[in-house]
Amino acid sequence: LIRYAQSNHVEFCLVAQVNGQPIGMVMNCDRTGLDTDGVYEPWLAGLYVVEAFRLRGVGKRLLQKALEVAQERGIGTIYLGTDKESLMAWYV
């Protein structure tokens, strides 16, 4: 995670903290590991917020910051998806 966080490449990791303790994270990955022929890449993965800090906007801020970092690195589009229909409303 440290390597991702400190890199200037397509791949990066952001960690939200409170008083030095991690409370959430999101990663931008260059490949999905799926056979998509480069479609839907790069993509955001591992969006997670610890339960005690959910519903406080932490996930939203992580996603906003991920978009900012991607733009700073010249990444025009990043993808985010879920196979859980119940989560889809969170990402729109």
Side-chain angles (χ1 to χ4, degrees):
L1 293 176
I2 291 171
R3 181 175 56 86
Y4 280 127
Q6 295 175 341
S7 77
N8 288 320
H9 300 99
V10 170
E11 298 175 320
F12 61 85
C13 177
L14 304 174
V15 178
Q17 298 180 28
V18 171
N19 298 324
Q21 296 297 313
I23 62 163
M25 66 164 285
V26 67
M27 291 175 45
N28 193 55
C29 303
D30 67 343
R31 303 273 311 161
T32 64
L34 304 173
D35 185 15
T36 62
D37 293 328
V39 179
Y40 308 122
E41 296 171 2
W43 65 291
L44 290 174
L47 175 61
Y48 180 79
V49 176
V50 297
E51 191 170 342
F53 288 91
R54 291 180 186 164
L55 300 174
R56 297 183 185 189
V58 175
K60 180 178 181 174
R61 288 191 299 261
L62 281 167
L63 289 175
Q64 288 171 334
K65 185 64 177 177
L67 292 174
E68 289 174 22
V69 171
Q71 186 176 30
E72 289 168 3
R73 295 180 184 198
I75 302 167
T77 303
I78 54 177
Y79 296 89
L80 173 68
T82 181
D83 59 354
K84 296 184 179 184
E85 202 165 313
S86 62
L87 296 177
M88 289 183 188
W90 289 93
Y91 302 130
V92 213

